[in-house]
């Protein structure tokens, strides 16, 4: 299979996430909770030339349709991403990311003294600001380093 | 006050604050009139960090309202030491009591605790987060001495980790107050507090030198700079030494300047300030009981 074929190869059923900023593909997978251990077939194109973004990443996930809620969380790191839901090789739905008001259980708080980082039965919860996120427990605001907070557990 | 819990000062409106302060003034004038206000109320005191003043003033406040308290004791003597989660601890104590007063070393502890119980949770300090009941007694003291309108307040010391500072700043945004924050560069207000101050439209200035603003202030609120915030002893001594006041330094202040401190103080206010008319920190500590009585009266 050539590079070109890999990039454009169609999936039968699943989700194609396009126009991800270059270098963020693995963070996209982390956000939607895919690390390969579930057996999903995933193909990733990194730093593909793009008219809009210069370099972009593309993520294709077979046999998994992302929900609108999952898609919205992607807005934190890939605000211009486009999402195609594919059924039987055809694009059956196009989704655009929109910023959610709150993201729960996706990011972990960078404040080591935050109650959510302890052995307590709570999920992290962040309010989404226009230019960052804010922990719903300790109020810590994170602006530029959001991808660093993605919970890989 | 129509809140189920008191977690942060930012949840309080001006009307909420004034209602508590008005009731505190009534109580202060005639405490015996409230002696049977809450005869069946049992307050759970959960202090995961050492506290003398806050714990004792809540204990006194509930008893002066005719109620009683149960105290989980020190962390060393309790099941927390055996690894019980905070969520479990507060659920159990909520089963015995009508309200929980919580102090905990982690930021967000009171927010989380409130999610697990159906009795009111009062945040008595969560790490470097908030300490809203301290703020209510601070505001009571400010109102008694300087008034809460057309007010210029200076806050000095550890603004980064000082939870009393964070709560006071949030509450002052609901009043007509100009705020000056004086601290070393490394202990400036945290990002979230600055964000909220900015969003509120409050008039805020930051300084590294008290002399820049001392002459304008109605109130100077001093907090302690702690040794553990600095990598070494020398740096601590050097920096902390610049944020101390004594009677001589206050010559440059207005005659009616009110000096406050959440206590305990170490040496950031020299003892010769105690004899001046500026000193209001012991009165401030005294106000803890009537203000907490007023708060409990509104929540239980
Ligand atoms: Zn947090």
């Amino acid at each position: 299979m050539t590079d070109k074929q890999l990039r454009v190869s169609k999936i039968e059923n699943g989700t194609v996430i396009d126009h991800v900023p270059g270098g963020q593909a693995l963070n996209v997978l982390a956000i939607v909770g895919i690390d390969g251990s579930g057996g999903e077939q995933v193909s990733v194109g990194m730093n593909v030339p793009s008219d809009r973004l210069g370099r972009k990443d593309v993520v294709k996930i077979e046999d998994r349709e992302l929900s609108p809620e999952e898609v919205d969380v992607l807005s934190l790191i890939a605000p211009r991403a486009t999402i195609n839901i594919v059924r039987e090789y055809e694009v059956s739905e196009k989704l655009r990311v929109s910023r959610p008001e709150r993201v729960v259980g996706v990011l972990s708080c960078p404040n080591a003294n935050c109650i959510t980082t302890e052995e307590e039965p709570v999920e992290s919860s962040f309010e989404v600001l226009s230019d960052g996120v804010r922990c719903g427990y300790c109020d810590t605001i994170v602006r530029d380093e959001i991808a660093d907070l993605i919970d890989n557990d | 006050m129509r809140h189920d819990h008191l977690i942060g000062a930012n949840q309080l409106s001006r009307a909420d604050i004034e209602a508590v302060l008005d009731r505190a003034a009534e109580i202060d004038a005639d405490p015996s009139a409230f002696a049977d206000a809450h005869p069946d109320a049992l307050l759970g005191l959960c202090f995961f960090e050492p506290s003398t003043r806050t714990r004792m003033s809540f204990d006194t406040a509930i008893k002066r309202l005719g109620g009683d308290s149960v105290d989980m004791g020190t962390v060393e003597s309790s099941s927390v030491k055996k690894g019980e989660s905070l969520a479990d601890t507060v659920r159990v104590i909520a089963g015995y009591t009508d309200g929980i007063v919580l102090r905990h070393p982690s930021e967000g502890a009171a927010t989380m605790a409130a999610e697990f119980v159906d009795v009111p949770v009062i945040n008595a300090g969560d790490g470097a987060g908030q300490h809203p009941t301290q703020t209510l007694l601070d505001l009571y003291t400010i109102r008694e001495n300087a008034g809460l309108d057309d007010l210029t307040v200076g806050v000095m010391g550890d603004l980064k980790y000082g939870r009393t500072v964070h709560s006071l700043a949030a509450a002052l945004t609901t009043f007509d107050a100009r705020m000056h924050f004086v601290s070393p560069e490394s202990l400036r207000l945290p990002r979230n507090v600055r964000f909220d101050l900015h969003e509120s439209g409050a008039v805020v200035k930051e300084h590294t030198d008290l002399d820049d603003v001392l002459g304008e202030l109605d109130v100077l609120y001093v907090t302690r700079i702690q040794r553990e915030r600095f990598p070494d002893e020398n740096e601590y001594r050097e920096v902390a030494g610049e944020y101390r006041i004594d009677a001589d330094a206050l010559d440059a202040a207005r005659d009616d300047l009110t000096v406050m401190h959440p206590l305990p103080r170490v040496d950031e206010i020299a003892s010769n300030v105690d004899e001046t008319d500026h000193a209001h920190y012991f009165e401030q500590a005294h106000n803890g009981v009537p203000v907490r009585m007023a708060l409990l009266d509104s929540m239980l």
Side-chain angles (χ1 to χ4, degrees), chain B residues 124-203:
Chain B
D126 62 324
Q130 292 263 332
H131 192 358
T133 68
Q134 175 72 41
T135 294
L136 289 168
L137 71 93
D138 293 343
L139 294 172
Y140 185 84
T141 310
I142 292 173
R143 190 169 79 165
E144 296 272 289
N145 290 286
L148 284 165
D149 291 303
D150 190 23
L151 179 71
T152 304
V153 180
V155 184
M156 180 168 83
D158 183 350
L159 311 182
K160 184 174 185 184
Y161 298 99
R163 57 194 172 202
T164 64
V165 171
H166 306 160
S167 287
L168 182 62
L172 284 173
T173 63
T174 68
F175 294 91
D176 176 20
R178 291 169 294 279
M179 291 180 242
H180 294 276
F181 293 96
V182 184
S183 73
E185 203 64 46
S186 62
L187 295 175
R188 290 171 68 194
L189 290 172
R191 200 185 245 179
N192 62 305
V193 175
R194 301 150 70 90
F195 179 87
D196 289 341
L197 287 171
H198 181 78
E199 293 278 293
S200 76
V203 180

Side-chain angles (χ1 to χ4, degrees), chain A residues 109 111 114 116 135 138:
Chain A
C109 186
N111 172 12
C114 176
T116 62
C135 177
C138 73

Side-chain angles (χ1 to χ4, degrees), chain B residues 42-71:
Chain B
L42 187 60
L43 191 63
L45 303 178
C46 303
F47 282 72
F48 290 77
E49 264 185 353
S51 159
T52 311
R53 267 158 302 277
T54 304
R55 187 199 293 244
M56 285 183 70
S57 75
F58 269 110
D59 192 38
T60 307
I62 189 65
K63 287 171 178 162
R64 292 254 172 95
L65 290 168
D68 208 346
S69 69
V70 285
D71 192 320

Side-chain angles (χ1 to χ4, degrees), chain A residues 111 113-116 118-122 129 131 134 136-145, chain B residues 10 85-87 91 104-109 111-112 115-116 126-128 130 191-192 195-196:
Chain A
N111 172 12
N113 208 41
C114 176
I115 194 73
T116 62
E118 293 176 24
E119 296 293 315
E120 296 288 343
V122 280
L129 309 173
D131 61 346
R134 177 176 190 151
Y137 290 88
C138 73
D139 280 335
T140 295
I141 292 177
V142 180
R143 294 235 165 85
D144 306 323
E145 323 83 16
Chain B
N10 49 1
S85 69
L86 173 62
R91 270 189 287 213
H104 195 277
S106 297
E107 286 98 66
T111 303
M112 189 204 75
E115 292 173 1
F116 286 91
D126 62 324
Q130 292 263 332
R191 200 185 245 179
N192 62 305
F195 179 87
D196 289 341

